[in-house]
Amino acid sequence: MNAAFAAAALPHLDAAYTLARWLVREPAAAEDVVQEAMVRALTYFASYRGDNPRAWLLRIVRNTAYDRMGAERRRGEQPLDDAEAFADPSPDPEAALQGREQRDGLAAALAALPAELRECVVLREIEELSYRDIARITDVPVGTVMSRLFRARQMLLRVGRAEEAVKEPRT
Amino acid sequence: MTGTTPNPVACDDMKLLVQADLDGELDAAASAVLAGHLRDCPGCAALAAELGGLAHALHHTLRTEAAPARLRAALEAQLMPPPAPARRRWRFRWPVLSFGAGAAVAAALVLMVALPQGDNLDGALLSGHIRAMQPGHLIDVPSSDRHTVKPWFEGKLDFAPPVPDLTADGFVLIGGRLDVIEGRSVAVLVYRHDKHPINLFIWPEPGTATGETRRDGYVLRHWHQGGLALHAVSDLDAAELAVFVRAWQGQQ
């Protein structure tokens, strides 16, 4: 049972951690989220019948991350979302996550998106999941995934255009 | 629909199709229709180019991040059964070995049988610690008040674990729970230092043995005190866990 679960889940550990990093940001928090998600996943595994263990696991990671973010917000701990990343252009988690590419601002712009838009971009662009899988993971209709992705991309493009204008005025 | 003329309203409907095409979500027929539209409509073509550029940039900026080795090791330890059958195979080979080799194998076997004892205990303690990370499982009695935690164990165990207050040393009591380690009901006190939980497993056991072991990025400190065996497990670093142990010993 554990071995079967390990075979199904462990190959997707990096994907799980990456999603957790983009959702809760802090490496230690992301680690906690993945660990907790794995424990949850193990308990659900007996009743799991699907054919896409990666999407299944990412859904549990995503829900675990949201539970944690919700709990922290309720406890009035550090605000995890939205404007925060804009206020500080180089917060440590993003810097660590993105290394030198931090400079181009795209990662920072993604980090600054609201969670429900950010997760769509991460699932699509990093995990390369289909709309259907993203819809399942985020528990919304496919149409909502499409419009969220579109909104997210428009916001990223806007940031990109603003930076372009500052950096190198086109000739 | 091929060759549609630019029309702001129609193009508004088109934008999700432009995106879906880039995401590989359109079938060949729909993709061909869209390609026809893009040839005729500079607005949609510009959108397609922009989204394509963004996808390219994201692709080069974002990548899957490797999970920390510590996390992977902990999960593997938790999920992979210890390789017990390997030992049995050794025994089958024994008879064909010469006496000298046999003695060496026998010595190795003694070691292998002796070592897993501590190894299994470490594994059981570590599993207990990791299991405790499960939501709602860390604590049966959530309280930072030792006068609440201590009586809670009464009637649940045949011994009364001491519950010292170590707040002054930077270790905050957050509660207690029961656990089962190697078939024995034990008391677990949960403390927290910064954001790191410490599980302290306690049961009656005469002895004086002390020690420190490491496993999968976790540190385990073992000691005996007042007729009890105590085992602290945490992902704190060894020095900090040693401070915890000293503080705990000092309170008794």
Side-chain angles (χ1 to χ4, degrees):
Chain A
M1 167 67 186
N2 277 14
F5 173 73
L10 288 182
H12 310 298
L13 188 58
D14 289 346
Y17 181 69
T18 304
L19 177 61
R21 273 303 302 276
W22 278 104
L23 288 177
V24 300
R25 299 172 187 215
E26 226 192 303
E31 220 175 302
D32 287 353
V33 163
V34 171
Q35 191 141 51
E36 193 180 317
M38 284 295 207
V39 173
R40 284 191 198 181
L42 177 59
T43 56
Y44 302 150
F45 187 62
S47 58
Y48 169 66
R49 297 280 175 276
D51 55 358
N52 190 341
R54 191 159 72 112
W56 172 75
L57 185 66
L58 290 177
R59 183 186 167 129
I60 297 172
V61 168
R62 184 252 186 202
N63 290 340
T64 308
Y66 272 73
D67 286 350
R68 187 193 174 94
M69 293 190 286
E72 283 180 354
R73 210 166 294 154
R74 277 194 299 280
R75 278 205 303 274
E77 287 179 13
Q78 68 256 51
L80 272 153
D81 243 312
D82 310 335
E84 184 197 27
F86 266 133
D88 177 2
S90 58
D92 274 348
E94 280 82 13
L97 186 63
Q98 298 308 326
R100 64 200 164 77
E101 279 138 338
Q102 173 68 25
R103 272 176 286 131
D104 72 11
L106 191 52
L110 175 58
L113 291 182
E116 77 273 11
L117 301 187
R118 196 186 331 139
E119 67 185 356
C120 284
V121 175
V122 169
L123 291 170
R124 173 63 219 140
E125 300 289 1
I126 306 182
E127 313 294 359
E128 299 185 326
L129 290 167
S130 69
Y131 289 174
R132 224 159 65 99
D133 285 338
I134 299 172
R136 258 188 233 146
I137 291 170
T138 57
D139 207 19
V140 293
V142 168
T144 306
V145 170
M146 293 170 73
S147 57
R148 281 184 180 174
L149 263 177
F150 195 80
R151 264 164 61 212
R153 284 163 164 165
Q154 289 303 312
M155 289 169 84
L156 294 177
L157 282 171
R158 221 170 294 141
V159 173
R161 275 194 292 265
E163 281 191 359
E164 200 85 335
V166 172
K167 252 191 311 196
E168 37 180 318
R170 281 272 155 85
T171 47
Chain B
M1 212 168 117
T2 316
T4 37
T5 47
N7 170 335
V9 178
C11 288
D12 209 43
D13 292 338
M14 276 287 173
K15 64 188 187 185
L16 290 184
L17 281 183
V18 170
Q19 172 179 256
D21 192 38
L22 283 163
D23 287 330
E25 296 274 347
L26 292 190
D27 61 23
S31 192
V33 170
L34 182 71
H37 176 72
L38 292 185
R39 269 195 299 276
D40 297 339
C41 175
C44 286
L47 175 65
E50 244 184 350
L51 288 178
L54 177 64
H56 185 77
L58 282 170
H59 198 74
H60 283 273
T61 308
L62 311 177
R63 43 187 56 92
T64 303
E65 204 189 351
R70 171 176 76 167
L71 175 64
R72 185 176 290 277
L75 289 168
E76 279 170 359
Q78 189 185 4
L79 296 172
M80 304 296 196
R87 247 181 289 156
R88 199 161 297 142
R89 237 177 295 138
W90 275 52
R91 261 185 219 141
F92 286 130
R93 274 192 218 147
W94 193 346
V96 300
L97 295 168
S98 70
F99 179 76
V105 171
L109 269 178
V110 169
L111 270 180
M112 291 194 72
V113 171
L115 278 177
Q117 218 59 22
D119 229 37
N120 285 344
L121 177 58
D122 281 355
L125 292 168
L126 190 53
S127 302
H129 180 79
I130 293 171
R131 211 166 40 234
M133 301 301 155
Q134 193 170 354
H137 275 63
L138 186 58
I139 301 161
D140 291 330
V141 48
S143 172
S144 56
D145 180 2
R146 65 201 199 91
H147 301 297
T148 306
V149 175
K150 193 174 164 66
W152 181 84
F153 284 110
E154 275 167 25
K156 298 188 177 67
L157 292 168
D158 53 6
F159 67 102
V163 185
D165 180 356
L166 304 176
T167 314
D169 300 283
F171 301 96
V172 181
L173 178 70
I174 57 173
R177 70 171 192 282
L178 295 179
D179 206 335
V180 176
I181 298 294
E182 299 190 322
R184 163 175 45 198
S185 293
V186 308
V188 186
L189 299 180
V190 186
Y191 290 84
R192 201 179 275 280
H193 181 65
D194 291 336
K195 288 193 165 175
H196 303 274
I198 301 166
N199 276 278
L200 180 63
F201 298 80
I202 308 174
W203 62 81
E205 183 183 283
T208 54
T210 61
E212 178 186 301
T213 45
R214 284 157 201 248
R215 191 159 160 159
D216 308 326
Y218 292 88
V219 183
L220 298 88
R221 293 278 303 208
H222 317 275
W223 78 99
H224 286 83
Q225 187 175 345
L228 299 171
L230 297 107
H231 303 268
V233 185
S234 180
D235 60 346
L236 277 174
D237 70 47
E240 284 179 299
L241 191 60
V243 171
F244 169 77
V245 172
R246 273 199 302 278
W248 212 90
Q249 288 168 336
Q251 286 287 317
Q252 291 308 295

